[in-house]
C-alpha cells in the first residue's frame, strides 16, 4: 500500500496524529492481570505492536503490584508509551518513553488522500472491499464501506462504521473514545468488533447473530448485537 | 498489443506453475505467440513442467546482467514452435532480480510475443511483487481452502496497490482460477463452495480446474496437461479458461453441484 510521493520543491511540515489505546488497570492488580491474560488468550495479537497508554486513575497509592506493573505489561507484549493520572503512584517516570515501537498503521490509499485535501470532511466512503492485510483508519468521523472487510483486514474509525457487505475481519468503532459509536454490517462473520475500547471476539459473540445483518452498540460496558430490520 | 499476465496466489503449492504451463500451451494451441516466464529465482520448476530442463543454458538473470541476449535465453518448445520459455536461475538468489532489469526484459518480451505469462513465486516478497509489477492481467490461482482464499485476498490487495498499473491510477484486470477442485469432497461439504470463494474474493471466475491424477502425470512427464491430455477434465477446463481469457463469454459449469449418488458413494470409498 505504498503511496508514491512525487518530489516536492518546498518542504512541508505537517501535523500527524495517531491512535493509542488507553488501558486502565484496577486494583487488586493480581486479579486484573489474570483477567487481562484471559482476554489476551481469547484474542492473541490484539495489543501486538500497538502503542498503549496506561491510565492509573483507579489507584490511590499504596496498592501492591504497581512497582512491577510496567514489567508485567511488557512481558505480555504490551508496549507502554505513556501514563496518565499517575499522581498517587510513585516512580512512574520511566513509563514515559520516547516513541519507539508502535506500528506504522499503513497508508490508506486514494481515499485517504481525498480527505487530506478536504480537511473538513467528517466521513469517509470506500467503494471497494478491504482486503486481507489492509488496515483502514479514519480518525475524523464515520467510515462507510461499500464491499466486504476480509478476514485479516481491519477498519478503525472515530465514529460509527457502516459496512455494506460482509464483515469478516475486525471493526473498531469509537476508537478515540466514543461510546455512542455503532457498527453496522450486512452480514456478520467478524473476527473482532470493538466500540470505545470494549471488544468482543468471534468466540464470545452470540452465534445466532452470525451470518445476519446486524448492528452492534455499547450498552454500559457490554457490546450488544441485534439484528437489523 | 502484447498482454502481460501474472499467475499468482500468495500461497505455495496451489498450482501456479502447472497452471502457467497449461494456460501457456493452450494459448499457443490457439495460434498465439506465447512465452512463459519463470520468476521463481532459486526454486525454478517451470522448465521441468514444460519438459525443457535439459535445454536450459542461459536464464533471466543472465539476460538482466548482460551475460546473454534475450534470444539466447529463450527456449522454444519442441511440440509448439510458437511457445517459448524464459527460465529462472536456480543458483542465484532473489536479489539478482532488479526492478529495472525486469522492466527491460518484459518490455523486450512484449515486442516479440502476443502473450507473456509470468509464473510468480509464492509469498508477498520481492520476487512476487516484481512478477506482478508489469502485468496487465492477473490470474489469481486459488484452492477452495480457507488459507488459500485468505492469501489470495491479500494478493489481490497488492495487485491493486503495487503494480505499475495501480501506480498510474489504472485498474489491473483480475481473474480467479480455482484449482484442485475436488468434486467428491465438495459433495461431502468439507471444502469451500465455489459461491463462497467468489463471494469473499469478488473477482470474476476464469475457470474451475478439477483435482486430477492427469495433472500430476503431466507434470512428471514434463508436458503441460493441455498438450499431454487435452481431452481429460483438467485439460478441457484449462482450454476453456483460455477461451475466456481471450474474451469469449463462456459459462463456467461448477462440477460439484451436479454430482449424483453414485459418485458420492464412490467418493466416500476413496476417502
Amino acid at each position: 500500500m505504498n503511496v508514491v510521493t512525487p518530489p516536492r520543491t518546498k518542504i512541508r511540515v505537517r501535523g500527524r496524529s495517531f491512535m493509542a489505546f488507553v488501558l486502565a488497570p484496577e486494583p487488586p492488580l493480581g486479579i486484573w492481570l489474570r483477567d487481562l491474560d484471559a482476554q489476551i488468550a481469547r484474542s492473541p495479537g490484539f495489543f501486538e505492536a500497538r502503542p498503549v497508554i496506561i491510565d492509573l486513575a483507579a489507584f490511590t497509592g499504596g496498592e501492591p503490584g504497581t512497582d512491577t506493573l510496567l514489567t508485567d505489561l511488557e512481558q505480555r507484549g504490551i508496549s507502554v508509551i505513556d501514563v496518565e493520572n499517575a499522581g498517587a503512584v510513585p516512580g512512574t517516570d520511566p513509563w514515559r518513553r520516547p516513541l519507539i515501537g508502535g506500528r506504522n498503521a499503513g497508508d490508506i490509499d486514494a481515499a485517504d488522500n481525498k480527505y487530506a485535501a478536504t480537511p473538513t470532511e467528517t466521513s469517509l466512503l470506500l467503494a471497494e472491499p478491504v482486503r486481507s492485510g489492509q488496515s483502514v483508519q479514519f480518525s475524523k468521523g464515520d467510515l462507510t464501506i461499500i464491499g466486504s472487510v476480509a478476514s485479516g483486514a481491519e477498519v478503525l474509525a472515530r465514529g460509527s462504521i457502516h459496512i455494506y457487505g460482509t464483515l469478516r475481519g475486525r471493526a473498531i468503532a469509537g476508537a478515540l473514545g466514543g461510546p455512542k459509536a455503532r457498527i453496522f454490517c450486512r452480514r456478520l462473520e467478524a473476527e473482532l468488533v470493538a466500540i470505545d475500547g470494549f471488544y468482543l471476539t468471534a468466540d464470545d459473540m452470540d452465534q445466532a447473530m452470525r451470518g445476519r445483518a446486524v448492528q452492534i452498540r455499547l450498552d454500559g460496558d457490554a457490546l450488544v448485537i441485534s439484528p437489523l430490520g | 498489443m502484447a498482454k502481460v499476465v501474472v499467475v499468482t496466489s500468495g500461497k505455495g503449492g496451489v498450482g501456479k506453475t502447472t497452471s502457467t504451463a497449461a494456460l501457456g500451451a493452450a494459448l499457443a494451441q490457439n495460434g498465439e505467440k506465447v512465452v512463459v516466464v519463470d520468476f521463481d529465482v532459486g526454486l525454478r520448476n517451470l522448465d521441468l513442467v514444460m519438459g525443457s530442463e535439459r535445454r536450459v543454458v542461459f536464464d533471466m538473470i543472465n539476460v538482466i546482467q548482460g551475460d546473454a541476449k534475450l534470444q539466447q535465453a529463450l527456449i522454444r518448445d519442441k511440440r509448439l514452435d510458437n511457445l517459448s520459455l524464459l527460465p529462472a536461475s536456480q543458483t542465484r538468489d532473489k536479489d539478482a532480480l532488479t526492478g529495472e532489469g525486469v522492466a527491460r526484459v518484459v518490455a523486450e518480451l512484449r515486442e516479440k510475443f502476443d502473450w507473456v505469462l509470468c509464473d510468480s513465486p509464492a509469498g508477498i516478497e520481492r520476487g512476487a511483487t516484481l512478477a506482478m509489477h508489469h502485468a496487465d492481467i492477473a490470474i489469481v490461482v486459488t484452492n477452495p481452502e480457507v488459507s488459500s482464499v485468505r492469501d489470495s485476498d491479500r494478493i489481490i490487495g497488492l495487485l491493486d496497490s503495487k503494480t505499475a498499473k495501480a501506480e498510474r491510477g489504472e485498474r489491473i484486470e483480475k481473474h480467479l482460477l480455482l484449482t484442485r477442485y475436488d468434486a467428491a469432497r465438495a459433495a461431502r461439504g468439507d471444502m469451500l463452495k465455489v459461491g463462497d470463494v467468489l463471494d469473499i474474493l469478488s473477482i470474476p471466475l476464469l475457470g474451475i480446474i478439477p483435482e486430477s491424477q492427469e495433472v500430476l502425470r503431466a507434470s512428471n512427464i514434463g508436458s503441460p496437461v493441455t498438450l499431454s491430455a487435452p481431452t481429460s477434465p483438467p485439460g478441457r477446463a484449462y482450454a476453456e479458461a483460455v477461451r475466456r481469457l481471450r474474451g469469449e463469454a463462456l459459462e463456467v459449469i461448477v462440477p460439484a453441484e451436479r454430482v449424483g449418488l453414485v459418485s458420492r458413494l464412490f467418493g466416500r470409498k476413496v476417502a
Side-chain angles (χ1 to χ4, degrees), chain A residues 26-129:
Chain A
E26 288 161 21
L29 274 172
I31 292 172
W32 184 80
L33 284 169
R34 209 183 57 210
D35 290 347
L36 180 67
D37 284 335
Q39 229 15 335
I40 291 172
R42 266 179 287 156
S43 180
F46 184 72
F47 290 107
E48 196 178 303
R50 283 184 200 275
V52 173
I53 294 168
I54 304 299
D55 181 356
L56 293 177
F59 292 81
T60 53
E63 288 91 350
T66 49
D67 47 336
T68 57
L69 181 57
L70 180 61
T71 343
D72 287 335
L73 291 173
E74 281 175 345
Q75 276 169 358
R76 288 165 175 82
I78 299 173
S79 50
V80 178
I81 56 161
D82 208 341
V83 60
E84 54 185 32
N85 301 319
V89 183
T92 54
D93 276 346
W95 294 40
R96 304 173 200 278
R97 50 194 62 205
L99 280 181
I100 43 166
R103 184 182 60 152
N104 186 336
D107 296 323
I108 307 168
D109 342 60
D112 187 39
N113 293 343
K114 258 180 260 153
Y115 95 70
T118 51
T120 49
E121 201 107 45
T122 54
S123 69
L124 175 68
L125 179 88
L126 289 180
E128 290 184 357

Side-chain angles (χ1 to χ4, degrees), chain A residues 1 128-129 131-134 150-151 168 187 191, chain B residues 150 153-154 156-157 161-162 171 199-202:
Chain A
M1 303 206 70
E128 290 184 357
R131 303 281 180 185
S132 186
Q134 293 178 333
S151 160
R168 297 191 177 86
R187 189 169 156 195
E191 290 164 352
Chain B
R150 185 198 268 185
D153 194 58
R154 181 95 165 87
I156 295 169
S161 61
K162 291 232 167 166
R171 302 287 304 194
D199 180 46
I200 294 172
L201 297 179
S202 53

Side-chain angles (χ1 to χ4, degrees), chain A residues 24 26 32 35 39 42 178-180 193-200 204 216-225:
Chain A
E26 288 161 21
W32 184 80
D35 290 347
Q39 229 15 335
R42 266 179 287 156
K180 287 187 175 159
V193 291
I195 297 171
D196 193 24
F198 293 97
Y199 65 92
L200 206 56
D204 298 332
I216 302 155
R217 62 190 171 80
L218 194 59
D219 182 11
D221 57 2
L223 290 176
V224 179
I225 308 180

Side-chain angles (χ1 to χ4, degrees), chain B residues 50-252:
Chain B
M50 296 291 291
S52 308
E53 74 279 8
R54 291 157 179 264
R55 296 193 287 145
V56 175
V57 183
F58 296 111
D59 55 51
M60 179 153 58
I61 303 289
N62 293 134
V63 178
I64 285 176
Q65 297 186 335
D67 305 330
K69 291 222 159 51
L70 180 61
Q71 206 55 52
Q72 294 174 286
L74 287 170
I75 302 169
R76 186 167 290 192
D77 192 84
K78 280 184 174 164
R79 297 148 296 208
L80 292 165
D81 66 359
N82 53 340
L83 175 63
S84 297
L85 163 74
L86 180 58
S89 172
Q90 181 72 347
T91 49
R92 309 295 187 86
D93 65 47
K94 282 192 168 109
D95 297 336
L97 218 53
T98 62
E100 183 225 335
V102 170
R104 213 176 57 230
V105 170
V106 172
E108 215 175 317
L109 290 171
R110 268 184 200 272
E111 286 170 20
K112 291 184 198 293
F113 296 94
D114 302 323
W115 293 84
V116 181
L117 259 61
C118 306
D119 180 22
S120 170
I124 53 172
E125 283 82 34
R126 199 177 151 71
T129 49
L130 279 174
M132 70 170 69
H133 194 261
H134 301 282
D136 307 306
I137 301 170
I139 296 176
V140 180
V141 181
T142 306
N143 293 164
E145 314 284 344
V146 281
S147 55
S148 174
V149 171
R150 185 198 268 185
D151 290 359
S152 293
D153 194 58
R154 181 95 165 87
I155 278 291
I156 295 169
L158 295 180
L159 286 166
D160 284 335
S161 61
K162 291 232 167 166
T163 51
K165 272 206 150 186
E167 283 167 6
R168 290 197 300 266
E170 296 167 32
R171 302 287 304 194
I172 181 167
E173 191 182 322
K174 299 174 290 280
H175 299 279
L176 176 68
L177 187 67
L178 206 56
T179 55
R180 311 197 65 171
Y181 189 85
D182 187 331
R185 283 185 58 208
R188 287 200 304 273
D190 58 0
M191 198 173 64
L192 278 182
K193 291 201 180 72
V194 176
D196 292 342
V197 179
L198 285 172
D199 180 46
I200 294 172
L201 297 179
S202 53
I203 58 172
L205 184 61
L206 187 67
I208 301 171
I209 313 298
E211 173 86 313
S212 162
Q213 289 299 316
E214 226 32 86
V215 177
L216 209 63
R217 206 178 71 85
S219 293
N220 285 331
I221 61 170
S223 172
V225 72
T226 38
L227 293 182
S228 67
T231 54
S232 66
R236 283 206 311 271
Y238 275 118
E240 284 178 12
V242 155
R243 285 167 64 189
R244 291 184 197 102
L245 191 61
R246 296 177 78 214
E248 211 173 306
L250 194 67
E251 202 193 338
V252 183

